[in-house]
């Protein structure tokens, strides 16, 4: 349907109706030509491809044509014809032009092609108009859709877990506090600590680091659920893989043990990569050409291989025997860094690896304890170029074991009474995982920095726009 009084360039190019009158609207990418004929490449964000507008200069006001520069927004009416040039299949012979908004060539920051990604981060308000960010944002949209499609096809219920919460799921203490107290003069208790009982929620609250705990409540009623929402971590890590605000997909399933959890993670991620290959071919080809020669080959290889499943303990042995001098020396108990994860995936196995049975000390309180007393049924999915893309586990469903772990970690039992209730009433074996949406997008787009796969990145000292 031609909404907005125009045909989208994507539709126009997909099924070109030669010799019909069309209207297009969009932003000028380039203008070139001579005194008698000019060519405008117009883009409306519906596709990586531009439509070529052919303008017979004698038919138009000179001033009007002069003010159509790179970045201007225009409407063009005319006849769609087979292109005489070799660069494009069709073009529009323009009969009428209207300017919605000019873009002063002296001032418009996206004047030329080939700006660095660093520069584009400083103008995140305009970068969606570049080919690169058009492609990335369309792929991001396709992946979000595919995630909902996958879970719907598999009978999972989309559960909306809260963004403001009183709990700390991961226990890593990296939370943003949500308060309406006067931070210059908060009410205080006798011991000078802030008295949150006078705060909006009557207790200290924060932005969620994960929807998992509430997701488990849903799974122990609806049996298979997923969440897909923003999560927040105040960790001061300025790396190409960390954001302070990122999106996470968290399926949680009653009656799954760790093996089925791994099966689901592998099937899910392969489905998403396949969906991208089948539905985002133009954008992927563009990104491959611009940034990453082996992008499409790498995506295909992930679909075709079986992921390696490996015990943490075996992984440590491989790393120790690798002869590589890592920045963080390897020992049993080490919380693996991206250098170790990438060694296993890229150098040793050359395919994705699911690492399981981690030491309990480096994992969260809720993970199911193994009988060895040392390890838990954690599973991290490690990917080429990324490292950890998924973190998950089977959950401790035994009330006594869970409570004793909570005590060991000096957590306040009263803060999670509602979580513990699920283990008191109708508990069940269950499992789940979290996929970092932007980590997935790093893999699918081949972009190297996580700031370039989210429209408006939030990182330490950076919350412009
Ligand atoms: O491994 P994490 O911390 O696991 C959890 O939060 C669990 N509660 C998930 C669950 O079992 N339901 O985070 C899960 C994933 C990571 O594997 C990573 O992909 C991503 O979230 N992630 C981040 N992505 C971007 N920036 C950050 N700061 C991230 N921290 C984690
Ligand atoms: Mg993790």
């Amino acid at each position: 349907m031609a909404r907005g009084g125009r045909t989208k360039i994507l539709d126009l190019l997909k099924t070109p109706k030669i010799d019909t009158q069309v209207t297009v609207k969009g932003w000028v990418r380039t203008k070139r030509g001579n005194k008698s004929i000019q060519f405008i490449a117009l883009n409306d964000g519906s596709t990586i491809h531009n439509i070529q507008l052919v303008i017979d200069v004698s038919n138009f006001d000179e001033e009007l044509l002069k003010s159509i520069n790179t970045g201007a927004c225009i409407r063009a009416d005319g006849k769609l014809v087979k292109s005489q040039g070799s660069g494009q299949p069709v073009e529009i012979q323009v009969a009428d032009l209207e300017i919605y908004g000019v873009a002063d060539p002296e001032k418009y920051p996206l004047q030329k092609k080939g700006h660095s990604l660093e520069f584009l981060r400083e103008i995140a308000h305009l970068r969606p108009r570049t080919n690169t960010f058009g492609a990335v944002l369309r792929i991001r949209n396709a992946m979000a859709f595919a995630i909902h499609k996958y879970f719907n096809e598999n009978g999972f219920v989309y559960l909306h877990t809260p963004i403001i919460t009183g709990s700390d799921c991961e226990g890593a203490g990296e939370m943003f506090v949500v308060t309406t107290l006067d931070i210059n003069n908060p009410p205080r208790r006798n011991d000078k600590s802030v008295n949150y009982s006078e705060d909006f929620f009557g207790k200290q609250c924060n932005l969620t680091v994960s929807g998992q705990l509430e997701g488990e409540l849903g799974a122990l009623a609806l049996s298979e659920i997923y969440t897909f929402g923003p999560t927040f971590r105040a960790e001061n890590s300025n790396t190409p893989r960390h954001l302070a605000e990122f999106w996470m997909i968290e399926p949680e399933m009653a009656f799954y043990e760790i093996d089925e959890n791994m099966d689901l993670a592998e099937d899910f991620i392969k489905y998403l990569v396949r969906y991208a290959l089948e539905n985002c071919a133009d954008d992927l080809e563009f990104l491959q050409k611009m940034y990453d020669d082996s992008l499409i080959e790498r995506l295909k290889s992930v679909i075709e291989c079986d992921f390696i499943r490996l015990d943490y303990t075996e992984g440590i042995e491989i790393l120790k025997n690798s002869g590589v001098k890592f920045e963080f020396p390897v020992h049993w108990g080490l919380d693996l860094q991206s250098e170790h994860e990438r060694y296993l995936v890229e150098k040793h196995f050359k395919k994705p690896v699911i690492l399981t049975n981690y030491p309990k000390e480096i994992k969260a309180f809720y993970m199911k304890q193994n009988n060895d007393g040392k390890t838990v049924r954690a599973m991290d999915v490690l990917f080429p170029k990324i490292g950890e893309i998924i973190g998950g586990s089977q959950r401790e469903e035994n009330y006594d074991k869970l409570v004793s772990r909570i005590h060991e970690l000096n957590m306040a039992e009263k803060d999670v009474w509602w979580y513990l209730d699920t283990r008191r009433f109708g508990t069940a074996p269950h499992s789940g995982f979290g996929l970092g949406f932007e980590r997935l997008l790093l893999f699918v787009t081949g972009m190297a920095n996580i700031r370039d796969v989210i429209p408006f990145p939030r990182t330490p000292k950076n919350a412009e726009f």
Side-chain angles (χ1 to χ4, degrees):
M1 196 184 289
R3 293 203 168 103
R6 52 87 194 241
T7 305
K8 278 191 185 167
I9 294 169
L10 174 72
D11 299 329
L12 207 80
L13 297 177
K14 217 192 304 177
T15 43
K17 298 201 180 79
I18 299 299
D19 290 333
T20 60
Q21 294 296 320
V22 296
T23 298
V24 289
K25 300 180 181 182
W27 291 266
V28 174
R29 284 295 166 80
T30 57
K31 187 174 78 168
R32 60 187 176 85
N34 53 39
K35 285 211 169 69
S36 53
I37 189 156
Q38 296 199 343
F39 301 96
I40 290 175
L42 195 75
N43 190 281
D44 66 4
S46 61
T47 158
I48 191 85
H49 301 295
N50 302 324
I51 184 83
Q52 170 153 286
L53 308 179
V54 185
I55 295 170
D56 180 345
V57 174
S58 62
N59 293 339
F60 291 91
D61 177 53
E62 200 180 326
E63 286 304 306
L64 177 97
L65 290 185
K66 234 197 228 160
S67 57
I68 300 181
N69 290 299
T70 296
C73 185
I74 63 170
R75 168 179 68 80
D77 299 339
K79 190 155 78 163
L80 188 70
V81 297
K82 282 220 164 73
S83 179
Q84 287 155 33
S86 59
Q88 56 285 315
V90 293
E91 61 195 20
I92 296 173
Q93 287 171 347
V94 178
D96 192 29
L97 274 174
E98 179 186 359
I99 303 180
Y100 290 128
V102 294
D104 182 347
E106 300 292 317
K107 297 189 180 136
Y108 183 57
L110 290 173
Q111 206 46 237
K112 290 189 289 285
K113 285 187 173 176
H115 289 297
S116 73
L117 293 168
E118 289 79 9
F119 171 72
L120 293 177
R121 265 171 236 149
E122 288 167 19
I123 52 164
H125 59 305
L126 293 173
R127 68 178 184 172
R129 294 191 194 178
T130 62
N131 284 332
T132 296
F133 285 90
V136 167
L137 295 177
R138 280 186 298 272
I139 293 172
R140 188 177 166 107
N141 169 63
M143 289 294 89
F145 177 74
I147 285 160
H148 287 299
K149 189 163 147 57
Y150 178 84
F151 285 123
N152 263 274
E153 286 169 0
N154 285 282
F156 283 60
V157 174
Y158 181 26
L159 186 76
H160 294 98
T161 50
I163 289 171
I164 300 174
T165 146
S167 62
D168 175 9
C169 173
E170 291 305 295
E174 294 157 343
M175 297 177 305
F176 292 100
V177 176
V178 177
T179 181
T180 55
L181 293 177
D182 176 0
I183 55 164
N184 295 311
N185 186 23
R188 294 190 186 273
R189 295 198 163 89
N190 289 340
D191 67 356
K192 297 276 184 266
S193 64
V194 174
N195 185 358
Y196 282 102
S197 68
E198 289 185 31
D199 203 350
F200 189 92
F201 296 107
K203 59 186 279 202
Q204 188 180 336
C205 280
N206 48 269
L207 295 177
T208 188
V209 298
S210 160
Q212 177 195 324
L213 299 189
E214 294 90 351
E216 286 186 52
L217 311 180
L220 292 172
L222 301 160
S223 75
E224 288 177 329
I225 64 95
Y226 71 106
T227 73
F228 184 5
T231 48
F232 306 86
R233 296 196 185 175
E235 53 188 334
N236 199 5
S237 21
N238 253 311
T239 81
R241 286 175 308 279
H242 287 87
L243 290 165
E245 175 180 301
F246 63 99
W247 288 63
M248 189 156 42
I249 302 100
E250 297 184 272
E252 192 70 35
M253 298 75 63
F255 318 123
Y256 282 41
E257 304 216 356
I258 190 75
D259 287 325
E260 273 189 302
N261 202 23
M262 290 192 265
D263 293 343
L264 182 76
E266 184 168 343
D267 187 57
F268 176 46
I269 228 164
K270 285 178 172 171
Y271 176 94
L272 297 178
V273 173
R274 196 177 301 115
Y275 189 92
L277 284 167
E278 286 170 4
N279 294 276
C280 307
D282 287 357
D283 289 325
L284 289 174
E285 273 160 30
F286 172 80
L287 293 172
Q288 166 155 290
K289 192 174 76 197
M290 295 298 292
Y291 299 103
D292 184 345
D293 295 347
S294 49
L295 175 62
I296 292 173
E297 189 192 322
R298 198 163 58 246
L299 297 183
K300 286 186 179 154
S301 78
V302 157
I303 299 178
E304 282 152 17
C305 73
D306 289 331
F307 295 5
I308 298 288
R309 298 182 181 190
L310 187 74
D311 248 52
Y312 169 91
T313 302
E314 291 172 62
I316 290 291
E317 284 311 306
I318 292 171
L319 291 168
K320 273 190 186 161
N321 296 332
S322 68
V324 177
K325 203 168 176 313
F326 293 106
E327 193 188 330
F328 292 85
V330 179
H331 59 90
W332 198 92
L334 173 73
D335 196 1
L336 297 186
Q337 305 293 311
S338 149
E339 56 172 341
H340 309 115
E341 297 172 341
R342 292 184 60 176
Y343 176 84
L344 291 174
V345 173
E346 290 165 25
K347 298 275 171 7
H348 191 83
F349 290 107
K350 300 190 168 59
K351 43 173 110 162
V353 174
I354 311 183
L355 215 52
T356 51
N357 297 322
Y358 282 70
K360 66 176 182 181
E361 278 73 24
I362 57 170
K363 290 292 182 189
F365 76 97
Y366 51 71
M367 295 192 181
K368 185 170 175 68
Q369 298 158 36
N370 282 319
N371 291 333
D372 63 10
K374 293 194 307 191
T375 60
V376 287
R377 277 191 207 173
M379 55 165 241
D380 279 9
V381 181
L382 314 179
F383 253 51
K385 297 199 64 168
I386 316 286
E388 180 190 337
I389 195 166
I390 281 179
S393 74
Q394 186 169 341
R395 317 307 188 189
E396 183 55 77
E397 83 273 22
N398 179 288
Y399 178 83
D400 294 330
K401 284 188 181 164
L402 189 57
V403 169
S404 79
R405 188 72 187 131
I406 284 173
H407 290 163
E408 264 171 44
L409 292 168
N410 288 321
M411 291 170 59
E413 198 181 321
K414 68 171 180 17
D415 289 347
V416 286
W417 64 272
W418 44 272
Y419 184 72
L420 289 171
D421 256 9
T422 53
R423 274 61 169 177
R424 293 173 62 211
F425 308 119
T427 192
H430 63 289
S431 300
F433 61 81
L435 168 66
F437 189 44
E438 287 76 20
R439 299 256 176 110
L440 169 78
L441 288 171
L442 278 177
F443 181 71
V444 171
T445 63
M447 300 301 283
N449 193 311
I450 200 161
R451 294 167 179 80
D452 298 331
V453 294
I454 186 164
F456 306 105
R458 297 286 174 260
T459 50
K461 303 276 180 291
N462 178 23
E464 196 74 41
F465 315 108

